[in-house]
Amino acid sequence: AAILPTAIKTLPSESYLMCYPQMPFVYLESGDSDLQFLLLGGKLVKVRSKSWKHGRYFKLEEDCQTFSHESKKAFKQNHTFSIDDIESVRKGRHSEGLKKYTDASVEDLCFSIIFKGRKKNLDLMAESPEDVNKWVSSLEKIINNMHNLSNQKKSEHWIFSCIRKADKNGDNMMTLKEVKHFLRQINVEVDDSYAADLFKKCDTSNSDTLEGEEIKQFYEMLTRREEIDIIYGKYAQTEGQMSDRDLLNFLLNEQREQATAEDAHRLIEKYEVDKTAKQNNCMTKDGFLMYLQQDDGCILNPAHRSVYQDMNQPLNHYYISSSHNTYLMADQLKGPSSTEAYIKALMKSCRCVELDCWDGANGEPVIYHGHTLTSKVLFKDVIKAIKDYAFKTSQYPVILSLENHCTVEQQKLMARHLVFFLGDALVKKPLGDTMPTNFPSPEALKGKFLIKGKRLNKLDSIFTNNNVIEDGTVSEEDEAAECKENSQKEKPKKSNIKLDKELSDIVIYCKSVHFNSFEHARENQAFYEMSSFKESKAFNLAETSATAFMHHNMDKLSRIYPAGSRTDSSNYNPVPMWNVGCQIVALNFQTNSKEMHLNQGRFLMNGFCGYILKPEFQRNLSSQFNPNALTEGSWLKKKIFHVMVISAQQLPKINKEKQKSIVDPLVKVEIHGVQADNASKETHHIENNGFNPMWNKKFQFDISVPELALVRFLLEDHDTASQNDFIGQYCLPLTSVQNGYRHVPVLNKRGDNISSASLFVHLMLLDAP
């Protein structure tokens, strides 16, 4: 039988607050003092500059998910933002604006709301430290509660907020006209007769309005998912319910899990919502849907959500999440530089950040993109921000990649700032008492900072008492030379720069050297001497000398950076670089692009810690792996990947300005890996339905090197006249995919989760015959 659209969810339980009659769901108890405080609101001072500091009344709206504050401009509506848009709340003067425009004496009166993406921070001041504590703790509580909601509860919350918007006159009743408006709100276009029919079935009182139980019935009819009914019906063989044995049967046969009776009991205990069913060791349809929408039923293997790989291998045996020109918030020519860009990258588990250092005023070095109009930020402010945020999301080491254009005087200050602010966390000498022959592991370097830059001498001089005591001259960084080349008409000669001894001495495991050839590197370079490759050079080597490049990376680190011509901060494809074992594949983190989606997918597993252990064949010196010309070897593990795209739920509207704009969604399934595995297939589009589109489309992919393959699901709004619009996407390593019926999260362009949306698929990764 054909699988049809989308599933019965129970109405929110009474334990949740009825925030107002037409919105029977939120995520805090009604008597919660923090919620009451936010609903009541209060006056805060909004800070924009030294002279622009104005009082505004802030409060949480009755939908319990929208914040508002009044606008003083004539005819302007109140400013609003969603709780879901908030990335974090910071107490104190911890934003660039508050540091710049307020005095240190008001530190305990300040806090900032930091938004996802490029939306400007909201810098605020309260009347007392107690008020600050109350605002910050209440906001953090409501954000955490929102974040911890189950997907089902988020879905309910979203639907009921749409019902509320549709109830134009706020009388807690819905007319046929309001029902049609609601259907447009949830991204589904239906003809008038269908809407009228649905309305008539629910209007049991014949009052030409829906209220109370009628709205509940309307909700249940609308959100029924017949594909779930069919799957559940096939396995629910115990008086219409799934017994623990039925569930185990489903886990073994459909999900292909190595499950036991204990696993079935655990899932019933964890997800079943009906107490009687739980006591009888049974799972109802609602419990089954709850299971499918949570981590256990997600496409991503739950075991990969935490660090599970061996973290005791040498540092160069890992792919390392890396950022290029980290200080930039936008383009490479005139965009702003900011400490905020470093914080955002580090909070996304980026483990290698770049600092372009130039002489600044008053003897203080600055960071900006030289020879351009990008703004400048103090070097010491960047180091302070890095120190504060480096290990919030991952404990594994952070590499500071220095591009040094400073005079010796300001280099001395750089070195002192690094030593002072980073303290014992800065690696200032090799681990151990003897000269190392290999890198330490990420585990051994937990909580540590490594400096990548030029060094005046070899590392073994530390152990031979042959250390230099004076400043010296070194060749400039390859990327610095290219930056200069891009800003001048004639190709300049690569120049030497004077290097301060103090700055040289804190470069331990990541000494920058020029790349000549793989043979030269093998014969002349120590393991800690690493090269940076611009993308054109790296792609050429990956194409013509793939195996040699891979062997080079078994002993040393390689950093790849985007071409200087990418002034719009666009990115290159990182996959071919990972295919030859390059570790530091630096991308413009500020650019929402397919390449960044692939990067997020690559580092999604292993606890999103920023380090991924490379496959064994990229670490074994006897390996002759070539991603461009596959031969027999341990890398060749031929698989067939079966994908059935079944349905999607509650996709966002693309054009929110146009009330009648409804998406025509289609799904693309992409494989990114070695050349032979790269593929893309797509479904047909569904007209006028972003709420519960149904495809039931089967695809098959032949995979040769599964350990290097990434899977990307891309949702687009079909357009016959122009390029399709982006709706959402999700990317993950093929080796992290769970078999069976799975929900796929939907992320926006920035890589943030669209909480109400999901894709429902059936997957099977099998050995090829």
PDB file of all heavy atoms in Angstrom, residues 633-656:
ATOM      1  N   GLY A 633      42.229  -2.654  -1.842  1.00  0.00           N
ATOM      2  CA  GLY A 633      42.888  -2.287  -0.590  1.00  0.00           C
ATOM      3  C   GLY A 633      41.863  -2.223   0.522  1.00  0.00           C
ATOM      4  O   GLY A 633      40.655  -2.385   0.297  1.00  0.00           O
ATOM      5  N   SER A 634      42.322  -1.936   1.750  1.00  0.00           N
ATOM      6  CA  SER A 634      41.415  -1.926   2.912  1.00  0.00           C
ATOM      7  C   SER A 634      40.347  -0.847   2.790  1.00  0.00           C
ATOM      8  O   SER A 634      39.320  -0.904   3.463  1.00  0.00           O
ATOM      9  CB  SER A 634      42.228  -1.712   4.199  1.00  0.00           C
ATOM     10  OG  SER A 634      42.883  -0.446   4.157  1.00  0.00           O
ATOM     11  N   TRP A 635      40.608   0.174   1.944  1.00  0.00           N
ATOM     12  CA  TRP A 635      39.654   1.270   1.758  1.00  0.00           C
ATOM     13  C   TRP A 635      38.430   0.862   0.932  1.00  0.00           C
ATOM     14  O   TRP A 635      37.391   1.478   1.015  1.00  0.00           O
ATOM     15  CB  TRP A 635      40.359   2.447   1.079  1.00  0.00           C
ATOM     16  CG  TRP A 635      41.130   2.040  -0.144  1.00  0.00           C
ATOM     17  CD1 TRP A 635      40.670   1.922  -1.416  1.00  0.00           C
ATOM     18  CD2 TRP A 635      42.504   1.656  -0.172  1.00  0.00           C
ATOM     19  NE1 TRP A 635      41.660   1.491  -2.251  1.00  0.00           N
ATOM     20  CE2 TRP A 635      42.809   1.329  -1.519  1.00  0.00           C
ATOM     21  CE3 TRP A 635      43.523   1.572   0.786  1.00  0.00           C
ATOM     22  CZ2 TRP A 635      44.078   0.920  -1.923  1.00  0.00           C
ATOM     23  CZ3 TRP A 635      44.779   1.168   0.385  1.00  0.00           C
ATOM     24  CH2 TRP A 635      45.059   0.838  -0.961  1.00  0.00           C
ATOM     25  N   LEU A 636      38.614  -0.177   0.104  1.00  0.00           N
ATOM     26  CA  LEU A 636      37.548  -0.579  -0.817  1.00  0.00           C
ATOM     27  C   LEU A 636      36.560  -1.498  -0.095  1.00  0.00           C
ATOM     28  O   LEU A 636      36.816  -2.684   0.084  1.00  0.00           O
ATOM     29  CB  LEU A 636      38.163  -1.278  -2.031  1.00  0.00           C
ATOM     30  CG  LEU A 636      37.371  -1.177  -3.341  1.00  0.00           C
ATOM     31  CD1 LEU A 636      37.250   0.260  -3.802  1.00  0.00           C
ATOM     32  CD2 LEU A 636      38.042  -2.004  -4.437  1.00  0.00           C
ATOM     33  N   LYS A 637      35.439  -0.924   0.359  1.00  0.00           N
ATOM     34  CA  LYS A 637      34.405  -1.690   1.071  1.00  0.00           C
ATOM     35  C   LYS A 637      33.082  -1.397   0.379  1.00  0.00           C
ATOM     36  O   LYS A 637      32.298  -0.575   0.832  1.00  0.00           O
ATOM     37  CB  LYS A 637      34.345  -1.262   2.538  1.00  0.00           C
ATOM     38  CG  LYS A 637      35.634  -1.549   3.303  1.00  0.00           C
ATOM     39  CD  LYS A 637      35.608  -0.933   4.685  1.00  0.00           C
ATOM     40  CE  LYS A 637      36.932  -1.182   5.406  1.00  0.00           C
ATOM     41  NZ  LYS A 637      37.050  -0.433   6.667  1.00  0.00           N
ATOM     42  N   LYS A 638      32.851  -2.045  -0.747  1.00  0.00           N
ATOM     43  CA  LYS A 638      31.727  -1.690  -1.609  1.00  0.00           C
ATOM     44  C   LYS A 638      30.385  -1.935  -0.921  1.00  0.00           C
ATOM     45  O   LYS A 638      30.136  -3.003  -0.364  1.00  0.00           O
ATOM     46  CB  LYS A 638      31.817  -2.452  -2.928  1.00  0.00           C
ATOM     47  CG  LYS A 638      33.019  -2.010  -3.776  1.00  0.00           C
ATOM     48  CD  LYS A 638      32.890  -2.427  -5.210  1.00  0.00           C
ATOM     49  CE  LYS A 638      33.998  -1.784  -6.045  1.00  0.00           C
ATOM     50  NZ  LYS A 638      33.862  -2.121  -7.461  1.00  0.00           N
ATOM     51  N   LYS A 639      29.547  -0.899  -0.983  1.00  0.00           N
ATOM     52  CA  LYS A 639      28.225  -0.936  -0.345  1.00  0.00           C
ATOM     53  C   LYS A 639      27.169  -0.469  -1.348  1.00  0.00           C
ATOM     54  O   LYS A 639      27.472   0.227  -2.327  1.00  0.00           O
ATOM     55  CB  LYS A 639      28.185   0.009   0.864  1.00  0.00           C
ATOM     56  CG  LYS A 639      29.266  -0.232   1.915  1.00  0.00           C
ATOM     57  CD  LYS A 639      28.875  -1.316   2.878  1.00  0.00           C
ATOM     58  CE  LYS A 639      29.912  -1.480   3.992  1.00  0.00           C
ATOM     59  NZ  LYS A 639      29.585  -2.597   4.875  1.00  0.00           N
ATOM     60  N   ILE A 640      25.936  -0.842  -1.058  1.00  0.00           N
ATOM     61  CA  ILE A 640      24.785  -0.273  -1.767  1.00  0.00           C
ATOM     62  C   ILE A 640      23.956   0.471  -0.727  1.00  0.00           C
ATOM     63  O   ILE A 640      23.583  -0.101   0.305  1.00  0.00           O
ATOM     64  CB  ILE A 640      23.934  -1.349  -2.458  1.00  0.00           C
ATOM     65  CG1 ILE A 640      24.778  -2.074  -3.513  1.00  0.00           C
ATOM     66  CG2 ILE A 640      22.703  -0.719  -3.110  1.00  0.00           C
ATOM     67  CD1 ILE A 640      24.070  -3.257  -4.152  1.00  0.00           C
ATOM     68  N   PHE A 641      23.722   1.740  -0.997  1.00  0.00           N
ATOM     69  CA  PHE A 641      22.979   2.587  -0.059  1.00  0.00           C
ATOM     70  C   PHE A 641      21.587   2.836  -0.634  1.00  0.00           C
ATOM     71  O   PHE A 641      21.423   3.514  -1.640  1.00  0.00           O
ATOM     72  CB  PHE A 641      23.731   3.904   0.144  1.00  0.00           C
ATOM     73  CG  PHE A 641      23.138   4.814   1.191  1.00  0.00           C
ATOM     74  CD1 PHE A 641      22.627   4.313   2.379  1.00  0.00           C
ATOM     75  CD2 PHE A 641      23.112   6.196   0.996  1.00  0.00           C
ATOM     76  CE1 PHE A 641      22.098   5.142   3.346  1.00  0.00           C
ATOM     77  CE2 PHE A 641      22.580   7.042   1.955  1.00  0.00           C
ATOM     78  CZ  PHE A 641      22.079   6.514   3.133  1.00  0.00           C
ATOM     79  N   HIS A 642      20.578   2.218   0.002  1.00  0.00           N
ATOM     80  CA  HIS A 642      19.185   2.382  -0.423  1.00  0.00           C
ATOM     81  C   HIS A 642      18.551   3.518   0.390  1.00  0.00           C
ATOM     82  O   HIS A 642      18.629   3.517   1.624  1.00  0.00           O
ATOM     83  CB  HIS A 642      18.388   1.101  -0.170  1.00  0.00           C
ATOM     84  CG  HIS A 642      18.868  -0.074  -0.965  1.00  0.00           C
ATOM     85  ND1 HIS A 642      18.452  -0.312  -2.255  1.00  0.00           N
ATOM     86  CD2 HIS A 642      19.743  -1.068  -0.655  1.00  0.00           C
ATOM     87  CE1 HIS A 642      19.043  -1.409  -2.702  1.00  0.00           C
ATOM     88  NE2 HIS A 642      19.831  -1.897  -1.759  1.00  0.00           N
ATOM     89  N   VAL A 643      17.956   4.469  -0.301  1.00  0.00           N
ATOM     90  CA  VAL A 643      17.292   5.597   0.354  1.00  0.00           C
ATOM     91  C   VAL A 643      15.868   5.695  -0.169  1.00  0.00           C
ATOM     92  O   VAL A 643      15.662   5.736  -1.386  1.00  0.00           O
ATOM     93  CB  VAL A 643      18.029   6.927   0.078  1.00  0.00           C
ATOM     94  CG1 VAL A 643      17.298   8.093   0.740  1.00  0.00           C
ATOM     95  CG2 VAL A 643      19.475   6.867   0.545  1.00  0.00           C
ATOM     96  N   MET A 644      14.901   5.744   0.750  1.00  0.00           N
ATOM     97  CA  MET A 644      13.531   6.051   0.354  1.00  0.00           C
ATOM     98  C   MET A 644      13.131   7.349   1.055  1.00  0.00           C
ATOM     99  O   MET A 644      13.090   7.414   2.283  1.00  0.00           O
ATOM    100  CB  MET A 644      12.562   4.942   0.745  1.00  0.00           C
ATOM    101  CG  MET A 644      11.136   5.214   0.263  1.00  0.00           C
ATOM    102  SD  MET A 644      10.000   3.881   0.696  1.00  0.00           S
ATOM    103  CE  MET A 644       8.512   4.422  -0.132  1.00  0.00           C
ATOM    104  N   VAL A 645      12.895   8.386   0.262  1.00  0.00           N
ATOM    105  CA  VAL A 645      12.421   9.663   0.802  1.00  0.00           C
ATOM    106  C   VAL A 645      10.903   9.552   0.915  1.00  0.00           C
ATOM    107  O   VAL A 645      10.205   9.470  -0.100  1.00  0.00           O
ATOM    108  CB  VAL A 645      12.821  10.844  -0.100  1.00  0.00           C
ATOM    109  CG1 VAL A 645      12.276  12.150   0.458  1.00  0.00           C
ATOM    110  CG2 VAL A 645      14.343  10.925  -0.240  1.00  0.00           C
ATOM    111  N   ILE A 646      10.397   9.504   2.136  1.00  0.00           N
ATOM    112  CA  ILE A 646       8.962   9.262   2.352  1.00  0.00           C
ATOM    113  C   ILE A 646       8.190  10.580   2.442  1.00  0.00           C
ATOM    114  O   ILE A 646       7.330  10.861   1.616  1.00  0.00           O
ATOM    115  CB  ILE A 646       8.737   8.408   3.620  1.00  0.00           C
ATOM    116  CG1 ILE A 646       9.477   7.064   3.500  1.00  0.00           C
ATOM    117  CG2 ILE A 646       7.237   8.175   3.861  1.00  0.00           C
ATOM    118  CD1 ILE A 646       9.502   6.238   4.783  1.00  0.00           C
ATOM    119  N   SER A 647       8.505  11.395   3.449  1.00  0.00           N
ATOM    120  CA  SER A 647       7.688  12.598   3.679  1.00  0.00           C
ATOM    121  C   SER A 647       8.507  13.654   4.406  1.00  0.00           C
ATOM    122  O   SER A 647       9.621  13.403   4.860  1.00  0.00           O
ATOM    123  CB  SER A 647       6.453  12.238   4.512  1.00  0.00           C
ATOM    124  OG  SER A 647       6.850  11.748   5.792  1.00  0.00           O
ATOM    125  N   ALA A 648       7.928  14.844   4.512  1.00  0.00           N
ATOM    126  CA  ALA A 648       8.513  15.918   5.326  1.00  0.00           C
ATOM    127  C   ALA A 648       7.410  16.518   6.175  1.00  0.00           C
ATOM    128  O   ALA A 648       6.219  16.379   5.866  1.00  0.00           O
ATOM    129  CB  ALA A 648       9.161  16.981   4.448  1.00  0.00           C
ATOM    130  N   GLN A 649       7.810  17.180   7.247  1.00  0.00           N
ATOM    131  CA  GLN A 649       6.834  17.755   8.159  1.00  0.00           C
ATOM    132  C   GLN A 649       7.186  19.215   8.451  1.00  0.00           C
ATOM    133  O   GLN A 649       8.333  19.528   8.785  1.00  0.00           O
ATOM    134  CB  GLN A 649       6.798  16.984   9.496  1.00  0.00           C
ATOM    135  CG  GLN A 649       6.304  15.557   9.391  1.00  0.00           C
ATOM    136  CD  GLN A 649       7.323  14.617   8.759  1.00  0.00           C
ATOM    137  OE1 GLN A 649       8.498  14.661   9.091  1.00  0.00           O
ATOM    138  NE2 GLN A 649       6.872  13.782   7.843  1.00  0.00           N
ATOM    139  N   GLN A 650       6.216  20.082   8.280  1.00  0.00           N
ATOM    140  CA  GLN A 650       6.270  21.473   8.742  1.00  0.00           C
ATOM    141  C   GLN A 650       7.512  22.228   8.260  1.00  0.00           C
ATOM    142  O   GLN A 650       8.276  22.771   9.055  1.00  0.00           O
ATOM    143  CB  GLN A 650       6.160  21.504  10.273  1.00  0.00           C
ATOM    144  CG  GLN A 650       4.842  20.932  10.739  1.00  0.00           C
ATOM    145  CD  GLN A 650       4.780  20.668  12.227  1.00  0.00           C
ATOM    146  OE1 GLN A 650       5.487  21.291  12.994  1.00  0.00           O
ATOM    147  NE2 GLN A 650       3.942  19.732  12.631  1.00  0.00           N
ATOM    148  N   LEU A 651       7.681  22.241   6.957  1.00  0.00           N
ATOM    149  CA  LEU A 651       8.788  22.983   6.366  1.00  0.00           C
ATOM    150  C   LEU A 651       8.508  24.480   6.457  1.00  0.00           C
ATOM    151  O   LEU A 651       7.357  24.912   6.366  1.00  0.00           O
ATOM    152  CB  LEU A 651       8.976  22.578   4.897  1.00  0.00           C
ATOM    153  CG  LEU A 651       9.249  21.087   4.655  1.00  0.00           C
ATOM    154  CD1 LEU A 651       9.349  20.804   3.167  1.00  0.00           C
ATOM    155  CD2 LEU A 651      10.517  20.638   5.377  1.00  0.00           C
ATOM    156  N   PRO A 652       9.544  25.296   6.632  1.00  0.00           N
ATOM    157  CA  PRO A 652       9.322  26.743   6.774  1.00  0.00           C
ATOM    158  C   PRO A 652       8.917  27.390   5.448  1.00  0.00           C
ATOM    159  O   PRO A 652       9.256  26.901   4.377  1.00  0.00           O
ATOM    160  CB  PRO A 652      10.693  27.253   7.222  1.00  0.00           C
ATOM    161  CG  PRO A 652      11.663  26.270   6.651  1.00  0.00           C
ATOM    162  CD  PRO A 652      10.966  24.940   6.707  1.00  0.00           C
ATOM    163  N   LYS A 653       8.195  28.503   5.561  1.00  0.00           N
ATOM    164  CA  LYS A 653       7.862  29.281   4.369  1.00  0.00           C
ATOM    165  C   LYS A 653       9.109  30.033   3.919  1.00  0.00           C
ATOM    166  O   LYS A 653       9.862  30.554   4.742  1.00  0.00           O
ATOM    167  CB  LYS A 653       6.736  30.271   4.677  1.00  0.00           C
ATOM    168  CG  LYS A 653       5.417  29.598   5.026  1.00  0.00           C
ATOM    169  CD  LYS A 653       4.330  30.607   5.326  1.00  0.00           C
ATOM    170  CE  LYS A 653       3.790  31.195   4.045  1.00  0.00           C
ATOM    171  NZ  LYS A 653       2.474  31.840   4.249  1.00  0.00           N
ATOM    172  N   ILE A 654       9.325  30.095   2.614  1.00  0.00           N
ATOM    173  CA  ILE A 654      10.497  30.799   2.085  1.00  0.00           C
ATOM    174  C   ILE A 654      10.229  32.299   2.040  1.00  0.00           C
ATOM    175  O   ILE A 654      11.041  33.098   2.468  1.00  0.00           O
ATOM    176  CB  ILE A 654      10.856  30.281   0.666  1.00  0.00           C
ATOM    177  CG1 ILE A 654      11.157  28.788   0.722  1.00  0.00           C
ATOM    178  CG2 ILE A 654      12.031  31.042   0.092  1.00  0.00           C
ATOM    179  CD1 ILE A 654      12.259  28.407   1.667  1.00  0.00           C
ATOM    180  N   ASN A 655       9.077  32.678   1.516  1.00  0.00           N
ATOM    181  CA  ASN A 655       8.721  34.090   1.408  1.00  0.00           C
ATOM    182  C   ASN A 655       7.697  34.425   2.476  1.00  0.00           C
ATOM    183  O   ASN A 655       6.501  34.326   2.265  1.00  0.00           O
ATOM    184  CB  ASN A 655       8.165  34.388   0.006  1.00  0.00           C
ATOM    185  CG  ASN A 655       8.055  35.883  -0.244  1.00  0.00           C
ATOM    186  OD1 ASN A 655       8.039  36.674   0.704  1.00  0.00           O
ATOM    187  ND2 ASN A 655       7.978  36.260  -1.501  1.00  0.00           N
ATOM    188  N   LYS A 656       8.190  34.832   3.650  1.00  0.00           N
ATOM    189  CA  LYS A 656       7.288  35.085   4.770  1.00  0.00           C
ATOM    190  C   LYS A 656       6.509  36.386   4.598  1.00  0.00           C
ATOM    191  O   LYS A 656       5.520  36.616   5.278  1.00  0.00           O
ATOM    192  CB  LYS A 656       8.088  35.110   6.078  1.00  0.00           C
ATOM    193  CG  LYS A 656       8.621  33.730   6.453  1.00  0.00           C
ATOM    194  CD  LYS A 656       9.351  33.747   7.763  1.00  0.00           C
ATOM    195  CE  LYS A 656       9.869  32.356   8.110  1.00  0.00           C
ATOM    196  NZ  LYS A 656      10.668  32.323   9.331  1.00  0.00           N
TER     197      LYS A 656
END
